[in-house]
Amino acid sequence: MEEEEMLKENMAKNHPLLCMIVGLGSLITIHVYGENSQEGPSLDGHYSEQMQKMQALKASFMRPSISLSPNFAPPSLQAPSSTRLYRVTSYRADPTGKTDSTEALMKAIAAAFGGPTEGFLMEGINNLGGAQINLEGGNYMITKPLRMPKIGVGNFVIYGGTIRASDDFPKNGYLIDLSASSAGQNEETKASSDTDENLSSFQSPYHYEYVTFRDLMLDCNHRGGGISVIKSLRTSIDNCYIVHFSSNGILVQGGHETSIRNSFIGQHITVGKDPGEKHFSGTGINLMGNDNGVTDVVIFSADIGIQISGQANSLSGVHCYNKATGFGGTGIYLKVPRVTQTRIVDCYMDYTGIVVEDPVQLHISSSFFLGNAFIKLKSIKGVASGVNIVDNMFSGDNGGTDIVQLDESIATFEHIDQVVVDRNNVREMKMKSTLARGSLHANGNSWTIDFSPVLLFPNLIKHVQYTFSTTGSGLFPNHALRSVSENRVVIESDVEVPATVFVTVDQGVWQLASR
């Protein structure tokens, strides 16, 4: 009983509201029993017992309190854990965009970087535990790039607002700069930055890990670029709208596994047929690293939609109508030395095509090419190997444009192996393929089938199969493949007969090396 009284006194002192709720709950319970009971004597005893408890509780409110252990607290009333949410207006960022918010945004980022950590991600990269820099739906003007104050951190997010470059923003800068360089930092944040010292002693090949930029509109004001990601691992750029860049909408250099998805990127805000389209410049996405992915992204204005100079990248669900090929634009440009190793799947090339230099291990499939958009294989060192261009749709204006073209202005393709261009369907453009079939019926002793209009590579047939069928009564002529030259196949027989020849040729068959 003594411990019960002490508990009541402590609750009366520290939690009067809770006690009132308990008391009201008891009264309600009595009232319900009273109204629904059918047996008076049993209810009267219960009522008397409840009243005695209420009177004892009321009396306990009037007694001096006795403190319990300082560690005591009801589970539902425990103090909340420390937060990792950093609201930029708390650091005096101006959400109206009328004044410079660079310093305030950098303070919010610095606070997140200086917050509690949860061990490490990759060795040497501190885990910020999901720190969130919340832009709170504001529109913030900045005069200098938002460059990260230090390296060796990961697991943080910047999201939820608009960032706009001022009229004096540096033209070579990026609105958000995820890089290790401290050059160009404003003096207010540079004093507290340990980037240079940290970089000189940092051993990891990656400077950041698991960083997310999402739900952002970035207006570059025709000065510089949108987002720069340098030597970062597992970075996500999601649901971003990046416009008015003069260099790159997004630059990824070095690092590994950057994912760009569900975003819209354009130098000018337009929906096509822009009167200034021929003057579009800049690059929507510039991938200068390996193992990155671009998914469900629209590039609606730029000179080059996506440029890739790293290996093992993947593009899917990309819609490029950045600048028409007729105006000199390129939808996707692959400029990868030695080994391409790029997959382009389920993309929409809208009046702008794909250019690939010396393709080695390239896969393009299930994509739609509209408005005479085509694929160009450009020879730099004369190599094309392991190329699949299959199951695509091409639609043009009946102007005679080849769906796949060769650019041999620098060097001729001489090392060609395992190149397959096949099973594409074409409307009002010219079919090009590495595999062709033809037939010819004639009465004579020589049959010539010319595959040059359809075959991709000139004067290159690696494999021929043919069937010789004659209806000549009583004749069983000898016949043979006599010539393969300039993509023409000649079949001859030793006697004149009425016959049909069926021929299949292949330019890209892989062959076993002779022993």
Side-chain angles (χ1 to χ4, degrees):
M1 289 298 294
E2 182 177 353
E3 291 180 356
E4 181 179 353
E5 291 298 325
M6 291 173 64
L7 177 60
K8 291 177 180 179
E9 290 170 1
N10 183 71
M11 292 180 63
K13 178 180 179 181
N14 298 309
H15 308 291
L17 180 60
L18 182 61
C19 292
M20 292 176 64
I21 293 172
V22 172
L24 288 173
S26 300
L27 290 174
I28 292 170
T29 302
I30 295 166
H31 182 67
V32 170
Y33 270 98
E35 284 191 349
N36 293 290
S37 172
Q38 305 254 339
E39 301 182 17
S42 173
L43 177 62
D44 289 344
H46 179 73
Y47 177 84
S48 176
E49 180 182 352
Q50 292 295 327
M51 286 299 297
Q52 291 177 3
K53 290 183 178 180
M54 286 294 297
Q55 290 173 355
L57 180 61
K58 179 179 178 181
S60 70
F61 292 166
M62 308 301 296
R63 299 173 186 170
S65 62
I66 301 175
S67 298
L68 295 179
S69 167
N71 295 326
F72 173 82
S76 61
L77 300 177
Q78 292 279 6
S81 60
S82 60
T83 181
R84 290 184 172 90
L85 178 62
Y86 302 86
R87 301 180 184 276
V88 296
T89 57
S90 300
Y91 299 85
R92 299 190 176 181
D94 177 8
T96 68
K98 295 179 180 179
T99 61
D100 182 10
S101 292
T102 308
E103 179 182 354
L105 294 176
M106 285 304 303
K107 285 182 178 179
I109 295 171
F113 275 42
T117 61
E118 299 289 343
F120 292 92
L121 298 171
M122 286 287 289
E123 183 178 358
I125 298 181
N126 288 287
N127 182 1
L128 295 182
Q132 301 181 23
I133 296 97
N134 185 357
L135 301 185
E136 305 175 77
N139 184 348
Y140 305 95
M141 180 186 68
I142 61 174
T143 56
K144 295 180 182 179
L146 300 179
R147 188 171 282 114
M148 302 302 107
K150 64 179 180 179
I151 63 174
V153 294
N155 194 7
F156 66 91
V157 184
I158 298 177
Y159 72 100
T162 298
I163 300 174
R164 176 173 53 87
S166 65
D167 292 337
D168 58 349
F169 189 88
K171 291 186 177 181
N172 62 346
Y174 286 82
L175 293 180
I176 298 178
D177 192 347
L178 186 65
S179 73
S181 173
S182 61
Q185 285 183 299
N186 51 318
E187 294 302 321
E188 292 84 355
T189 58
K190 189 173 182 180
S192 61
S193 172
D194 62 351
T195 302
D196 290 332
E197 294 80 359
N198 192 14
L199 181 60
S200 63
S201 60
F202 199 68
Q203 300 299 319
S204 173
Y206 307 110
H207 295 158
Y208 304 94
E209 182 181 0
Y210 189 34
V211 179
T212 302
F213 306 113
R214 63 175 173 83
D215 306 331
L216 298 172
M217 178 172 181
L218 303 179
D219 186 344
C220 305
N221 195 21
H222 300 288
R223 304 182 68 86
I227 300 176
S228 172
V229 178
I230 311 296
K231 290 189 176 182
S232 182
L233 176 64
R234 303 180 186 116
T235 303
S236 294
I237 300 174
D238 191 5
N239 192 34
C240 290
Y241 192 94
I242 303 174
V243 295
H244 299 149
F245 50 87
S246 59
S247 55
N248 301 292
I250 298 173
L251 169 65
V252 178
Q253 187 172 357
H256 207 60
E257 297 168 0
T258 294
S259 176
I260 304 170
R261 56 184 180 266
N262 306 321
S263 295
F264 304 89
I265 301 171
Q267 186 179 65
H268 302 271
I269 298 178
T270 180
V271 290
K273 298 182 179 180
D274 192 288
E277 181 175 347
K278 64 177 64 177
H279 304 297
F280 289 173
S281 63
T283 301
I285 299 174
N286 192 349
L287 298 180
M288 302 174 67
N290 299 344
D291 300 359
N292 304 296
V294 180
T295 306
D296 298 331
V297 169
V298 177
I299 314 290
F300 54 85
S301 60
D303 182 39
I304 299 175
I306 301 175
Q307 179 165 298
I308 300 177
S309 54
Q311 298 172 350
N313 293 286
S314 175
L315 311 180
S316 64
V318 172
H319 181 191
C320 289
Y321 63 102
N322 47 288
K323 183 179 183 178
T325 299
F327 291 138
T330 303
I332 300 171
Y333 199 117
L334 303 181
K335 193 181 181 74
V336 186
R338 296 185 301 278
V339 184
T340 311
Q341 293 177 332
T342 298
R343 293 140 292 158
I344 301 174
V345 181
D346 194 25
C347 292
Y348 179 11
M349 309 308 297
D350 195 347
Y351 283 78
T352 185
I354 298 174
V355 178
V356 188
E357 294 184 359
D358 283 347
V360 177
Q361 291 196 310
L362 167 69
H363 184 86
I364 302 174
S365 70
S366 304
S367 295
F368 178 40
F369 295 76
L370 179 66
N372 291 326
F374 58 86
I375 300 169
K376 178 182 289 186
L377 306 182
K378 185 174 182 178
S379 174
I380 304 299
K381 296 184 178 180
V383 178
S385 177
V387 177
N388 297 321
I389 302 174
V390 295
D391 301 324
N392 300 288
M393 297 189 299
F394 294 83
S395 179
D397 60 5
N398 205 23
T401 302
D402 294 343
I403 64 169
V404 182
Q405 303 179 15
L406 303 180
D407 181 350
E408 298 180 291
S409 58
I410 297 176
T412 302
F413 280 108
E414 295 181 351
H415 307 284
I416 302 168
D417 184 40
Q418 302 179 73
V419 177
V420 179
V421 180
D422 193 26
R423 302 198 310 270
N424 300 295
N425 69 72
V426 178
R427 182 177 181 271
E428 298 184 347
M429 293 179 71
K430 287 182 63 177
M431 173 69 79
K432 283 293 180 181
S433 179
T434 57
L435 189 148
R437 302 171 183 85
S439 64
L440 178 63
H441 178 79
N443 189 359
N445 64 354
S446 180
W447 294 259
T448 300
I449 300 179
D450 186 1
F451 291 100
S452 57
V454 67
L455 289 179
L456 176 62
F457 296 99
N459 194 25
L460 177 68
I461 294 179
K462 291 188 175 183
H463 182 76
V464 178
Q465 281 186 312
Y466 78 92
T467 301
F468 189 95
S469 175
T470 180
T471 57
S473 177
L475 296 175
F476 196 85
N478 295 316
H479 52 82
L481 171 65
R482 298 292 292 174
S483 173
V484 177
S485 177
E486 300 298 329
N487 287 340
R488 293 180 178 88
V489 174
V490 179
I491 310 295
E492 293 184 355
S493 67
D494 60 344
V495 295
E496 290 190 3
V497 291
T500 302
V501 293
F502 302 89
V503 182
T504 300
V505 296
D506 195 338
Q507 294 189 311
V509 172
W510 178 75
Q511 297 177 347
L512 288 173
S514 59
R515 295 183 178 180

